Amino acid sequence: MSTLANQLAAAEREEVARAIRLLLARPLLTEAADSAGFELVRRRREPLAQWFDYTCGWSLVVEPRRGYARLTKVRANPDGSRPARRARSGRAPFDRRRYVLLCVTAAELLSMPMTTIGMLAGRVVQATAVDRALPAFDPVHKPERMAFVDVLKLLEFYDVLRAVDGTTEAYVESAEAKVLYRVDTTLLMRLPAAPVGASRLAVPPDEVPARFEELLTGLVRERRYGGAVADPTADEAHGEAAATDAQRNLRLRHSVLRRLFDDPVLYRSDLADDELAYVTSLTGRQILRRSVEQAGFVLEERAEGFLLVDPDGLATDVRFPDDTSTARVAALLLLEPLCAAPAGLLPEQLAEAGADLLRRFPRWAKAYQSEDGAARLSDDAVRVLADVGLARRARGRVVACPAAYRYRLTGTTSSDPAERPGPEWGASPRETAGITASGGVVAEGDQL
């Protein structure tokens, strides 16, 4: 092969690796939001689709004329660590009310290529009024309009809605606000990622709360692995027995690699016995390392689990450490007492640690300077740590996970020490744990 051919092949590998990481962070990539990233994905869409299908069993659809690429991520163990978030109110996560309005609004938009905010609100009012399982939507009340605006802003972020006249935020102050939207119904239909439609799991509304976990499992069943049935009430014994060895190996490969490429850290203790046996087998290890290399990650493999490091930060949707919010700063500051307590800390002990932070920095975290502020601060910090795989709750305590020992607080800095702590996190090794905060490849068997 000529030097030029080698250079072209290397350039293609680098571009494919970069595009993989872009899509992992942004499964819905639009030309309007990132024209350069979308052009890269459009140009390399065939090898990208092959990589995602083989490695994770995820489908990639690229629509060059419509200007979007949609990576459909499916997981067998969905969790709430990546909620939809409000564009306003400090990026607070969606609550139950907003999720309900999101589903109803999306259903109404399917038949409306153009609409106004008033017409759409009226359709949502009618839809919730005739469905006894849904609380009625009443735009007369401002909190209801605020929730509706949060839903519309999310759909605008996804480019499903585009305001061509007026601004969505105006509806918060007045139900008479005039906003005209253009609706991309094709993109709207691409948003759901569940392999099984919810309508195929029809159950009486009063049974949904008691069977929610069962129904959720039914939504993410995939027929390719054998024994998949749409009705969670059906007898699965015969179907599961019909799964072939090839189907079981396919399921194991996808289940392990989906979690590895989608989670901050993958612990061996969180894997099922057959998943752990697969990832430690010769074939499984070869596939894992080849897939990681093709995606441009650095693999850290330790006694407790696996962690992928993206040298360019392209695949990172949530950064840690990060001083963009009070809870994230507190999370890093609380890591030290957590790591110093192998048995974990009780909520009361964490609240006291939070209170100590508030005493040390009296003009920092003003939203938490109240009677219950210390407890709220520690709760929010623990939630951050749990979402990035650095802590977990066990037997009423919060326990530091092995990856937490990668971080070492070397001091706090601030132009005004009373205003706000600015953590410095170092890469110096903690000799007692045998770890560093750097992201290099390490030998198997080292501690996280």
Side-chain angles (χ1 to χ4, degrees):
M1 184 179 292
S2 67
T3 301
L4 177 60
N6 286 332
Q7 292 175 342
L8 292 175
E12 179 179 358
R13 288 194 298 270
E14 291 176 2
E15 289 189 349
V16 169
R18 182 179 181 86
I20 287 171
R21 286 174 284 150
L22 283 173
L23 287 167
L24 286 172
R26 302 181 65 177
L28 177 58
L29 184 64
T30 64
E31 186 175 20
D34 184 356
S35 58
F38 176 76
E39 173 58 23
L40 176 62
V41 171
R42 183 201 64 78
R43 190 167 63 251
R44 300 301 184 187
R45 59 186 180 273
E46 290 186 7
L48 285 172
Q50 294 171 1
W51 187 91
F52 279 112
D53 180 65
Y54 177 84
T55 304
C56 301
W58 292 336
S59 63
L60 173 65
V61 175
V62 181
E63 294 285 356
R65 293 186 178 181
R66 292 185 174 272
Y68 71 83
R70 174 62 167 137
L71 174 64
T72 305
K73 289 184 178 182
V74 182
R75 290 184 51 145
N77 54 335
D79 59 49
S81 64
R82 297 175 180 86
R85 295 191 177 274
R86 313 174 199 182
R88 309 171 307 110
S89 304
R91 302 277 301 160
F94 268 34
D95 53 17
R96 182 183 182 89
R97 181 56 173 157
R98 284 165 172 78
Y99 278 121
V100 169
L101 286 177
L102 174 60
C103 294
V104 177
T105 301
E108 295 302 322
L109 285 172
L110 284 173
S111 59
M112 305 171 70
M114 295 287 292
T115 186
T116 66
I117 197 168
M119 291 174 57
L120 181 57
R123 294 279 293 266
V124 174
V125 168
Q126 294 176 7
T128 55
V130 299
D131 192 331
R132 63 187 180 89
L134 300 177
F137 173 58
D138 187 357
V140 171
H141 302 293
K142 186 174 181 178
E144 289 281 83
R145 297 200 302 275
M146 291 174 64
F148 189 52
V149 165
D150 288 334
V151 166
L152 298 181
K153 293 297 293 182
L154 180 68
L155 292 173
E156 285 186 82
F157 175 75
Y158 290 148
D159 274 350
V160 168
L161 283 181
R162 293 191 182 182
V164 296
D165 187 22
T167 59
T168 303
E169 291 85 349
Y171 191 72
V172 173
E173 299 303 326
S174 173
E176 303 302 320
K178 306 298 182 184
V179 188
L180 177 65
Y181 295 108
R182 180 178 290 113
V183 186
D184 190 335
T185 55
T186 303
L187 178 55
L188 178 60
M189 289 187 289
R190 293 286 187 191
L191 294 185
V196 179
S199 60
R200 299 180 62 187
L201 304 179
V203 297
D206 55 347
E207 294 184 18
V208 171
R211 302 176 57 186
F212 181 76
E213 294 297 331
E214 176 188 357
L215 294 172
L216 191 60
T217 300
L219 288 174
V220 296
R221 282 200 176 98
E222 298 172 78
R223 293 187 179 276
R224 72 172 79 187
Y225 305 133
V229 293
D231 182 2
T233 64
D235 181 12
E236 302 177 35
H238 177 73
E240 292 295 340
T244 65
D245 289 341
Q247 288 173 320
R248 282 191 289 269
N249 287 333
L250 184 66
R251 177 184 62 81
L252 291 172
R253 181 173 79 227
H254 289 167
S255 64
V256 171
L257 294 182
R258 283 174 179 180
R259 296 172 66 179
L260 180 66
F261 284 103
D262 208 25
D263 286 338
V265 61
L266 178 60
Y267 294 108
R268 296 175 191 265
S269 59
D270 292 335
L271 296 173
D273 291 342
D274 54 352
E275 292 174 328
L276 184 58
Y278 175 83
V279 79
T280 55
S281 68
L282 179 61
T283 300
R285 293 173 66 84
Q286 289 176 340
I287 292 175
L288 183 151
R289 294 186 174 182
R290 183 174 66 247
S291 300
V292 168
E293 180 182 1
Q294 290 170 341
F297 287 100
V298 175
L299 174 67
E300 291 191 14
E301 184 175 352
R302 313 293 180 92
E304 297 90 351
F306 309 87
L307 185 146
L308 296 186
V309 176
D310 181 1
D312 303 314
L314 298 175
T316 303
D317 59 340
V318 176
R319 297 183 180 275
F320 187 86
D322 185 3
D323 61 358
T324 58
S325 75
T326 300
R328 294 187 180 281
V329 173
L332 181 58
L333 294 172
L334 290 179
L335 270 183
E336 189 167 19
L338 270 175
C339 291
L345 295 177
L346 294 168
E348 296 81 6
Q349 293 173 304
L350 284 166
E352 180 54 36
D356 180 61
L357 292 177
L358 295 175
R359 285 192 295 267
R360 289 167 55 194
F361 305 98
R363 285 189 284 171
W364 169 67
K366 293 181 179 180
Y368 296 94
Q369 297 286 355
S370 61
E371 184 177 352
D372 64 340
R376 290 190 293 110
L377 179 62
S378 62
D379 284 346
D380 290 347
V382 168
R383 191 174 299 111
V384 170
L385 294 174
D387 286 348
V388 295
L390 299 181
R392 64 179 62 185
R393 299 181 187 274
R395 301 184 183 89
R397 293 175 176 264
V398 176
V399 182
C401 295
Y405 293 90
R406 291 167 51 87
Y407 302 94
R408 181 182 184 184
L409 187 67
T410 58
T412 58
T413 61
S414 175
S415 57
D416 180 355
E419 281 291 333
R420 166 182 169 275
E424 295 178 346
W425 57 287
S428 55
R430 299 179 65 142
E431 297 298 337
T432 56
I435 58 86
T436 70
S438 60
V441 177
V442 296
E444 179 188 1
D446 287 350
Q447 298 292 309
L448 281 172

